[in-house]
Amino acid sequence: MLAGVAGALVGLVLLPILVLALMIGPAATATIVQLSGCEQGGPGGGSVVVDRQQLGADEMGIARTIVDVVQQRRLPRRAAVLAIATGLVESRLRNLDYGDRDSVGVFQQRPSQGWGTRVQILDPVYATGKFLDALIALPGWDTLAPGRAEQAVQRSGFPDRYAPREPAAAAIVDRFWTGPDNPTPPVAPGGGTEAVQAKTLCPDQGGSDVPRDPSQVDPKKLPPGYSLPTDARQRAAVGFALGQLGKPYVWGAKGPDAYDCSGLMLAAWAAAGVGIPAGTISQVHAGHAVASIQQVQPGDLLFIPGALGTAQVPRHVGMYAGHGLIVDAYDTDTGVILEPLSAWTSKIVAIRRIADPSSPSPPPGGSPL
């Protein structure tokens, strides 16, 4: 009987230890549970849960952008893990236009601390590049203990937050990384380096299906008499978008050499100092609704189903440029072009105004999306 009691006591002692082990165990590795497929879209493959934290399609799209920048620079996979771990901690991989003091963007970088202007930091491609510049300047950055490299770059008041996110970041990077973990930059015939792009997990769902008629509007040239809007932020956003005419459409690209439809909108409004989400699924909720096409203003985002979307989930977006013109990244065969507003009118399912004209500029810390 004493042996039986002793065995029971051992069982009671071991059971909490086992439960504790099960609770602690998953922290060492991370798994991704897919929530939605390509119909909820984006090059990041839709919404997922990573270690009980839900990341939407736009957040995964930004993760793919980060990996893309790392791969284009031919940096080791470890750089992508550290960058995404930092993005998870600082913004949950969102392009925030607000934060502590003057912090903005995916990495919550501060203009006052030399990271760049607010306009630059709100561009995830630029922000990732600046993070990587600071990272690789650290001696032995790729061999530092978990969390040390991120803290050295960010100088956070909460240095212990980064290391626990590295397993989740590594699982995210696994979805997008291509090629060797430690690539050697090959010399291309032109003397530069070959670009390597991250995986796109869904087919192109952002292309337009509006019939084109170049006889109505020259797709690459503004008509005589065109003038930019007078409002400063509308002028900056529209002017930036028009400055990209002729550039190629690449699914998931956010510039500076190529764009998809939502990437062009993000970069254009970043040029005006206003942060918006990364993809059409969230951009269709950005700013505030415009009731009718008669009330449309330059800089407004116009949404249509596109080639593979629906009225409920529009997959293509363009910007009203004024003078009856829309600027958009049309599709992979066409690139960034001008189109007549009249060609879109019957297909528009939503109009969003990102910033009202003549309204005060956002405070240094930004305003909630």
Side-chain angles (χ1 to χ4, degrees):
M1 185 173 71
L2 288 174
V5 171
L9 288 173
V10 170
L12 289 173
V13 171
L14 289 179
L15 182 59
I17 294 174
L18 178 60
V19 171
L20 182 61
L22 290 173
M23 292 173 63
I24 294 174
T29 59
T31 58
I32 292 182
V33 178
Q34 192 77 34
L35 293 184
S36 61
C38 291
E39 70 280 358
Q40 292 297 324
S47 301
V48 300
V49 170
V50 187
D51 282 350
R52 298 182 295 278
Q53 181 179 27
Q54 182 172 345
L55 299 175
D58 285 346
E59 288 92 321
M60 291 301 289
I62 285 180
R64 192 256 186 189
T65 295
I66 292 171
V67 175
D68 200 17
V69 173
V70 173
Q71 294 222 265
Q72 287 176 9
R73 293 180 60 161
R74 304 291 286 182
L75 293 173
R77 179 194 288 250
R78 179 71 178 153
V81 173
L82 297 175
I84 288 181
T86 302
L88 285 169
V89 168
E90 299 293 349
S91 68
R92 213 185 71 174
L93 293 174
R94 294 174 293 168
N95 190 37
L96 300 178
D97 73 344
Y98 61 94
D100 178 49
R101 288 171 282 190
D102 59 337
S103 300
V104 292
V106 176
F107 301 98
Q108 290 289 277
Q109 294 156 330
R110 298 180 60 192
S112 64
Q113 300 302 306
W115 287 99
T117 66
R118 176 184 171 87
V119 165
Q120 291 171 322
I121 296 169
L122 285 170
D123 181 341
V125 176
Y126 172 90
T128 301
K130 292 298 287 186
F131 176 87
L132 295 173
D133 289 343
L135 176 69
I136 63 177
L138 298 172
W141 65 268
D142 53 339
T143 59
L144 294 176
R148 292 283 301 279
E150 300 97 309
Q151 173 61 15
V153 172
Q154 298 294 106
R155 300 179 182 177
S156 170
F158 304 94
D160 298 329
R161 298 182 302 169
Y162 301 110
R165 304 319 306 270
E166 287 194 18
I172 291 171
V173 171
D174 286 345
R175 291 168 63 86
F176 302 117
W177 191 265
T178 56
D181 288 355
N182 297 287
T184 301
V187 178
T193 59
E194 293 180 9
V196 178
Q197 286 195 332
K199 297 175 187 174
T200 296
L201 298 184
C202 292
D204 181 350
Q205 293 191 351
S208 179
D209 62 345
V210 175
R212 293 182 56 220
D213 183 0
S215 66
Q216 291 189 52
V217 171
D218 187 325
K220 304 292 177 64
K221 185 178 178 181
L222 290 165
Y226 175 84
S227 59
L228 288 168
T230 56
D231 178 77
R233 287 190 292 179
Q234 290 180 343
R235 185 183 187 90
V238 171
F240 180 94
L242 293 175
Q244 313 315 306
L245 288 174
K247 289 189 177 179
Y249 177 116
V250 174
W251 181 229
K254 297 174 178 62
D257 300 320
Y259 298 89
D260 68 3
C261 64
S262 60
L264 179 61
M265 302 301 103
L266 181 151
W269 272 107
V274 180
I276 65 173
T280 54
I281 291 173
S282 292
Q283 287 180 0
V284 77
H285 302 291
H288 64 82
V290 175
S292 70
I293 194 68
Q294 287 74 31
Q295 299 173 1
V296 70
Q297 294 183 7
D300 288 352
L301 306 189
L302 310 178
F303 295 84
I304 61 175
L308 295 174
T310 65
Q312 292 73 34
V313 185
R315 300 300 298 147
H316 192 75
V317 60
M319 177 180 288
Y320 183 58
H323 297 258
L325 298 172
I326 288 174
V327 56
D328 70 308
Y330 186 89
D331 65 12
T332 52
D333 295 326
T334 309
V336 180
I337 62 169
L338 290 170
E339 296 184 80
L341 174 63
S342 57
W344 278 49
T345 302
S346 64
K347 295 178 177 287
I348 294 171
V349 297
I351 305 173
R352 305 296 295 190
R353 181 156 302 150
I354 302 303
D356 286 307
S358 301
S359 59
S361 297
S367 56
L369 289 173

